[in-house]
Amino acid sequence: PPRSTLDRSSAASDVYKRQLTKEDDLEKRNITNMSDEITNLMAQLKKKQEAIKEGESKLEKLDTILQQSEEALRKLTENTQKIGDFLDKELTQLQAQLLSLIPICRCR
Protein backbone atom coordinates (compact mmCIF):
# COMPACT_ATOMS: atom_id res chain seq x y z
CA PRO A 1 0.00 0.00 0.00
CA PRO A 2 1.12 3.62 -0.42
CA ARG A 3 3.11 5.02 2.44
CA SER A 4 0.42 7.59 3.15
CA THR A 5 -2.03 4.84 4.15
CA LEU A 6 0.35 3.48 6.77
CA ASP A 7 -0.35 6.50 8.91
CA ARG A 8 -3.97 6.73 10.12
CA SER A 9 -4.14 10.47 9.70
CA SER A 10 -2.81 10.18 6.16
CA ALA A 11 -5.43 7.52 5.36
CA ALA A 12 -8.17 9.77 6.67
CA SER A 13 -6.72 12.61 4.64
CA ASP A 14 -6.79 10.45 1.48
CA VAL A 15 -10.47 9.53 2.13
CA TYR A 16 -11.30 13.20 2.67
CA LYS A 17 -9.51 14.13 -0.58
CA ARG A 18 -11.45 11.45 -2.47
CA GLN A 19 -14.70 12.80 -1.01
CA LEU A 20 -13.76 16.29 -2.12
CA THR A 21 -12.99 14.98 -5.59
CA LYS A 22 -16.39 13.24 -5.73
CA GLU A 23 -18.13 16.40 -4.51
CA ASP A 24 -16.22 18.46 -7.07
CA ASP A 25 -17.23 16.03 -9.82
CA LEU A 26 -20.85 16.15 -8.68
CA GLU A 27 -20.75 19.95 -8.62
CA LYS A 28 -19.20 20.04 -12.10
CA ARG A 29 -21.95 17.72 -13.38
CA ASN A 30 -24.58 19.92 -11.75
CA ILE A 31 -23.06 23.00 -13.35
CA THR A 32 -22.93 21.24 -16.72
CA ASN A 33 -26.57 20.16 -16.36
CA MET A 34 -27.60 23.67 -15.37
CA SER A 35 -25.65 25.09 -18.30
CA ASP A 36 -27.37 22.65 -20.68
CA GLU A 37 -30.74 23.56 -19.20
CA ILE A 38 -30.00 27.28 -19.64
CA THR A 39 -28.96 26.64 -23.24
CA ASN A 40 -32.22 24.73 -23.87
CA LEU A 41 -34.28 27.47 -22.23
CA MET A 42 -32.50 30.12 -24.31
CA ALA A 43 -33.27 28.16 -27.48
CA GLN A 44 -36.94 27.88 -26.47
CA LEU A 45 -37.03 31.59 -25.69
CA LYS A 46 -35.53 32.41 -29.08
CA LYS A 47 -38.17 30.27 -30.83
CA LYS A 48 -40.94 31.97 -28.87
CA GLN A 49 -39.52 35.41 -29.68
CA GLU A 50 -39.45 34.48 -33.37
CA ALA A 51 -43.05 33.25 -33.15
CA ILE A 52 -44.06 36.51 -31.47
CA LYS A 53 -42.26 38.49 -34.16
CA GLU A 54 -44.02 36.48 -36.86
CA GLY A 55 -47.35 37.01 -35.10
CA GLU A 56 -46.72 40.75 -34.88
CA SER A 57 -45.88 40.82 -38.58
CA LYS A 58 -49.13 39.02 -39.39
CA LEU A 59 -51.06 41.44 -37.17
CA GLU A 60 -49.52 44.39 -39.00
CA LYS A 61 -50.56 42.87 -42.34
CA LEU A 62 -54.07 42.25 -41.03
CA ASP A 63 -54.23 45.82 -39.74
CA THR A 64 -53.24 47.10 -43.18
CA ILE A 65 -55.90 44.92 -44.81
CA LEU A 66 -58.47 46.15 -42.30
CA GLN A 67 -57.60 49.79 -43.03
CA GLN A 68 -57.84 49.15 -46.77
CA SER A 69 -61.17 47.39 -46.28
CA GLU A 70 -62.51 50.27 -44.21
CA GLU A 71 -61.44 52.73 -46.91
CA ALA A 72 -63.05 50.59 -49.64
CA LEU A 73 -66.26 50.34 -47.60
CA ARG A 74 -66.28 54.11 -47.08
CA LYS A 75 -65.89 54.68 -50.83
CA LEU A 76 -68.56 52.08 -51.60
CA THR A 77 -70.96 53.75 -49.17
CA GLU A 78 -70.19 57.14 -50.70
CA ASN A 79 -70.73 55.83 -54.23
CA THR A 80 -73.92 54.04 -53.21
CA GLN A 81 -75.23 57.31 -51.81
CA LYS A 82 -74.32 59.12 -55.05
CA ILE A 83 -76.06 56.44 -57.12
CA GLY A 84 -79.12 56.65 -54.84
CA ASP A 85 -79.19 60.44 -55.21
CA PHE A 86 -78.85 60.15 -59.00
CA LEU A 87 -81.65 57.56 -59.20
CA ASP A 88 -83.91 59.71 -56.99
CA LYS A 89 -83.29 62.66 -59.30
CA GLU A 90 -83.99 60.56 -62.41
CA LEU A 91 -87.16 59.14 -60.85
CA THR A 92 -88.37 62.63 -59.99
CA GLN A 93 -87.77 63.77 -63.57
CA LEU A 94 -89.59 60.72 -64.96
CA GLN A 95 -92.53 61.36 -62.66
CA ALA A 96 -92.64 64.96 -63.82
CA GLN A 97 -92.58 63.86 -67.45
CA LEU A 98 -95.34 61.32 -66.82
CA LEU A 99 -97.47 63.93 -65.08
CA SER A 100 -96.99 66.27 -68.01
CA LEU A 101 -98.19 63.54 -70.37
CA ILE A 102 -101.42 62.88 -68.48
CA PRO A 103 -103.27 65.95 -69.85
CA ILE A 104 -102.20 65.05 -73.36
CA CYS A 105 -103.52 61.51 -72.99
CA ARG A 106 -106.89 62.73 -71.61
CA CYS A 107 -107.35 65.00 -74.55
CA ARG A 108 -107.23 62.28 -77.12
Side-chain angles (χ1 to χ4, degrees):
R3 281 191 309 175
S4 62
T5 58
L6 298 176
D7 182 3
R8 292 186 109 189
S9 66
S10 291
S13 176
D14 289 345
V15 170
Y16 177 72
K17 287 178 186 174
R18 280 194 298 265
Q19 285 176 341
L20 284 180
T21 302
K22 286 181 184 178
E23 289 174 5
D24 286 346
D25 289 344
L26 182 61
E27 192 172 318
K28 286 178 185 176
R29 277 194 303 251
N30 286 340
I31 290 172
T32 300
N33 290 341
M34 288 172 36
S35 177
D36 291 345
E37 185 66 25
I38 289 171
T39 301
N40 288 336
L41 289 172
M42 292 296 287
Q44 290 176 15
L45 178 62
K46 185 175 181 180
K47 285 181 182 179
K48 289 182 180 182
Q49 287 173 330
E50 289 171 357
I52 289 170
K53 209 173 199 179
E54 185 178 326
E56 288 173 344
S57 175
K58 288 179 180 179
L59 281 174
E60 287 174 6
K61 288 177 183 177
L62 285 173
D63 188 49
T64 300
I65 291 169
L66 178 60
Q67 289 175 3
Q68 291 170 345
S69 298
E70 288 172 343
E71 179 62 20
L73 180 60
R74 186 189 64 72
K75 287 180 180 179
L76 181 61
T77 302
E78 194 175 281
N79 287 337
T80 301
Q81 183 64 43
K82 287 179 182 177
I83 291 169
D85 292 346
F86 172 77
L87 290 175
D88 284 345
K89 183 178 175 184
E90 288 294 311
L91 182 59
T92 302
Q93 288 177 358
L94 284 172
Q95 286 173 339
Q97 288 174 356
L98 284 173
L99 289 174
S100 69
L101 292 175
I102 290 174
I104 296 172
C105 291
R106 287 187 182 160
C107 292
R108 288 186 180 182

